[in-house]
Amino acid sequence: MTNQTQAKVQAHDRAIVIGVGLKSEPLTEIKENLLELEELVVAAGGEVVGSIIQVLPSWNPATLIGSGKVEEVAEMVRDSKANLIVMDHQLSGVQQRNLEQIVKARVIDRNQLILDIFAQRAQTFEGKLQVELAQLLDQMPRMVGAWLESLSRQGGGIGTRGPGETALENDRRRIRERVAIIKEKLEGVRKNRAQHRQSRRRHEIPSFALIGYTNSGKSSLLNKLTGAQVMAKNQVFATLDPTTRKIFLNDGPPAVVTDTVGFIRKLPTQLIEAFKATLEESAEADVLLHVVDLSSPNMERQVEVVEELIKEFNWADKKIIHVFNKSDIAPLERQFRVKQYPRVFVSALTGQGIEQLKRLMAQMVSEMQQDVQLYFPRAEEYKIFDLGREAQILRKESATEGTVCYTQMTPSLLNRWKEYLVK
């Protein structure tokens, strides 16, 4: 096989990044994507020694970019002693192999780079499985072109089968078998997590999920909200595995908050497929906390990317609180550009705005509830203790032969306590 397997970026790699787009695309977006690609190379451990942009009327099927630009890149490789080319567009196996032969350097695309970063960040059994699945799904379509081009069908004539085709089929079969095994293991993890979710639903614990563009500060915010010590790193894709922590809201029942993987432009579809189990935590949440980096110059575009993914995942009907983080380092005028509502400006670093966010979260939980009265006969007053663990008791009144509790409940919690409901 060719080097189509995992494309590792090493600390000593000197990379040239290539921004590409069609004439129908805005040049500003092509440039922004290129800057983000440079950040991704650095995040993977490489050093960017050059960058170049090409806008084309249509893609070159052999090398993606024009032949003149390929020669220019080859010259840049020689002058800068670069050993890695990173293309800001998905490459076929043929295009990748052709480019490597001409420029005399390793060539990877944005998808492979993102997958490589995920591979470096994966810590848990589930995270590693998800990354391997995404890499295999990404690798399969590339193999066909690379194999058929490099080995060809050497057997000759109609009806004969050459070694290239046989080797390709063997490799594809092995990958399909491995994909099936990983999916089966991830399904086990998914069922286990579904049981935890079912338990939370049975006890009617309100749930929040942190979503947002990568590096927006979700893990730091989780720590500040819950008092937990989740490792918060200033790096892209710091969180691959969902982390759930309990939160105590002053004016509401206990709730849980889950931190999930960060989003990014051009997120590879293979990753979305592989991380479905993780994303289910957000899908099942009662309220989404969309965390935005208020200090980022690309704030609006990052919000758009997340909003597009919210639509893609069919989460548009969910309650959403827009949390604009890093307000301590963002220019004040940036706040006037914000149009989303409900919103809150916070700093996970200094704690600014955190209490306001908690009040907003409690308000969201309250909106899911209704005021009710429950009557407990004296023989069953011991159950008031259990009620207090599941709902906030606003006040209690003694009756002649028992106690009346005034509380707020969601419809499903109300169903559990219906026999004590005062009609």
Side-chain angles (χ1 to χ4, degrees), residues 344-356:
V344 60
F345 298 99
V346 307
S347 166
L349 187 67
T350 66
Q352 173 192 334
I354 295 296
E355 287 308 312
Q356 187 185 347

Side-chain angles (χ1 to χ4, degrees), residues 13 40 67 208 261 287 294:
D13 280 337
L40 289 170
S67 55
F208 297 85
V261 66
V287 181
L294 189 67

Side-chain angles (χ1 to χ4, degrees), residues 16-80:
I16 293 171
V17 294
I18 304 177
V20 290
L22 297 175
K23 286 185 175 172
S24 56
E25 298 175 52
L27 184 60
T28 52
E29 187 153 330
I30 296 168
K31 286 179 176 177
E32 281 177 15
N33 286 341
L34 181 64
L35 285 172
E36 190 170 82
L37 188 68
E38 290 182 8
E39 289 173 12
L40 289 170
V41 169
V42 173
E47 177 192 359
V48 178
V49 295
S51 65
I52 195 167
I53 282 180
Q54 182 169 40
V55 181
L56 298 149
S58 61
W59 303 118
N60 183 333
T63 53
L64 190 78
I65 56 176
S67 55
K69 190 63 73 174
V70 176
E71 289 301 332
E72 190 180 329
V73 172
E75 194 175 321
M76 285 177 72
V77 167
R78 289 192 295 273
D79 292 346
S80 64

Side-chain angles (χ1 to χ4, degrees), residues 10 19 21 28 39 72 89 149 167 187 220-221 247 258 341 409:
Q10 306 293 341
T28 52
E39 289 173 12
E72 190 180 329
H89 193 279
E149 282 289 311
E187 181 61 19
S220 299
L221 187 61
I247 179 171
T258 299
Y341 189 83
M409 287 187 169

Side-chain angles (χ1 to χ4, degrees), residues 141-286:
R142 300 176 194 270
M143 289 171 59
V144 182
W147 264 118
L148 295 184
E149 282 289 311
S150 59
L151 294 177
S152 73
R153 298 189 181 186
Q154 297 165 16
I158 295 171
T160 60
R161 184 174 289 196
E165 186 177 4
T166 308
L168 170 64
E169 286 174 356
N170 286 339
D171 278 341
R172 292 184 79 186
R173 189 187 70 253
R174 277 200 298 271
I175 286 183
R176 277 196 299 269
E177 288 169 356
R178 181 65 186 152
V179 164
I181 289 167
I182 294 173
K183 283 186 172 178
E184 192 177 325
K185 288 180 179 176
L186 284 173
E187 181 61 19
V189 175
R190 190 193 68 78
K191 284 179 180 172
N192 186 40
R193 189 175 291 128
Q195 285 176 347
H196 285 292
R197 279 201 302 270
Q198 193 62 40
S199 170
R200 290 205 297 267
R201 275 201 295 271
R202 194 165 57 247
H203 293 96
E204 204 52 37
I205 300 173
S207 58
F208 297 85
L210 294 163
I211 63 166
Y213 209 80
T214 188
N215 224 7
S216 58
K218 299 191 309 308
S219 297
S220 299
L221 187 61
L222 179 72
N223 287 343
K224 208 70 179 176
L225 281 171
T226 65
Q229 287 305 312
V230 178
M231 186 64 73
K233 301 172 185 173
N234 185 27
Q235 59 184 25
V236 294
F237 310 129
T239 304
L240 299 190
D241 306 290
T243 307
T244 301
R245 295 287 182 268
K246 198 170 226 182
I247 179 171
F248 295 95
L249 302 170
N250 292 334
D251 304 315
V256 291
V257 186
T258 299
D259 186 13
T260 55
V261 66
F263 298 147
I264 196 167
R265 296 181 219 201
K266 301 185 185 178
L267 195 63
T269 52
Q270 300 87 351
L271 270 179
I272 294 173
E273 169 67 27
F275 278 75
K276 269 183 180 166
T278 302
L279 295 170
E280 277 178 6
E281 288 293 316
S282 301
E284 294 286 339
D286 296 310

